[in-house]
Amino acid sequence: MLKINYTLRGVGWARCEVRHDEQVRVLRVSYLTHGLAQLVMMANAALMGARAMSVDLSDEPGTYRWSFSPISGGIQVGITAYEDMSMFGDPGETEWQMTFDTDRLEFAQAMGDAATTVLQTHGEAEYKRLWSMAEFPSLALQLLQHNINESTRAADEDDDDDEELLNLED
């Protein structure tokens, strides 16, 4: 099971805790990148069937690179912590890596839940004040919630079709 907790920690800093089964990693994210917005957009891309994607979140001076790629039945998500990131985008030494397999919908729901909690906790105005005047990613979150609802509805309809087939065979 995947759980992502994203919390603002004062002006310009966030804490992101990622739990998947027995794995747990805590990331400290700086305002130098719009981490929450990037992760919500990544979740949207995953849910919509993108083949692969990566985003970098800053932790002065380090960086966390999140990525996903397709596997049979879902995606493999990777998070790599680098000690430093040059201004040319070259990663420094790897500090640690976390990799796990998950369903596209589960990843999207975990990220959607994390972003929704941030919005409910702070509201858009407080988020903007705490995140160095960056807007809360409202439209990206609305799109993600819409896509999650559509994916859930499609899965429910598939389940209903399976039940009808079973009833016809009786």
Side-chain angles (χ1 to χ4, degrees):
M1 178 173 192
L2 177 61
K3 178 72 174 156
I4 300 172
N5 290 315
Y6 197 99
T7 54
L8 301 184
R9 299 289 183 151
V11 177
W13 292 100
R15 178 182 189 272
C16 181
E17 180 179 286
V18 182
R19 292 180 173 272
H20 186 268
D21 296 333
E22 300 301 315
Q23 297 184 81
V24 180
R25 288 293 182 173
V26 177
L27 296 67
R28 186 181 71 160
V29 182
S30 160
Y31 73 96
L32 293 177
T33 52
H34 199 344
L36 186 61
Q38 288 179 283
L39 291 173
V40 170
M41 287 186 278
M42 184 178 200
N44 262 312
L47 188 56
M48 298 308 298
R51 298 255 331 128
M53 184 175 179
S54 67
V55 297
D56 291 341
L57 280 59
S58 290
D59 172 21
E60 305 164 39
T63 296
Y64 302 101
R65 179 163 292 152
W66 288 62
S67 62
F68 74 82
S69 56
I71 58 168
S72 178
I75 56 174
Q76 183 172 75
V77 176
I79 305 170
T80 305
Y82 296 103
E83 290 180 9
D84 197 3
M85 183 68 86
S86 79
M87 61 187 206
F88 302 109
D90 299 323
E93 294 293 318
T94 300
E95 286 185 52
W96 54 261
Q97 290 182 303
M98 177 183 192
T99 305
F100 55 89
D101 300 343
T102 188
D103 178 81
R104 290 175 184 270
L105 180 58
E106 181 182 32
F107 179 67
Q109 287 172 324
M111 199 59 250
D113 290 347
T116 298
T117 298
V118 170
L119 181 59
Q120 290 172 342
T121 301
H122 299 286
E124 291 186 18
E126 181 70 1
Y127 178 90
K128 185 175 183 175
R129 185 187 74 76
L130 290 172
W131 207 249
S132 299
M133 302 312 288
E135 299 286 337
F136 182 84
S138 296
L139 292 177
L141 179 58
Q142 288 171 15
L143 178 61
L144 181 60
Q145 290 167 335
H146 171 79
N147 291 334
I148 288 169
N149 289 338
E150 289 298 310
S151 293
T152 304
R153 185 181 359 258
D156 289 344
E157 288 173 3
D158 286 346
D159 289 344
D160 290 344
D161 291 344
D162 291 344
E163 286 177 20
E164 286 178 23
L165 287 174
L166 289 173
N167 290 335
L168 290 176
E169 292 174 0
D170 289 342

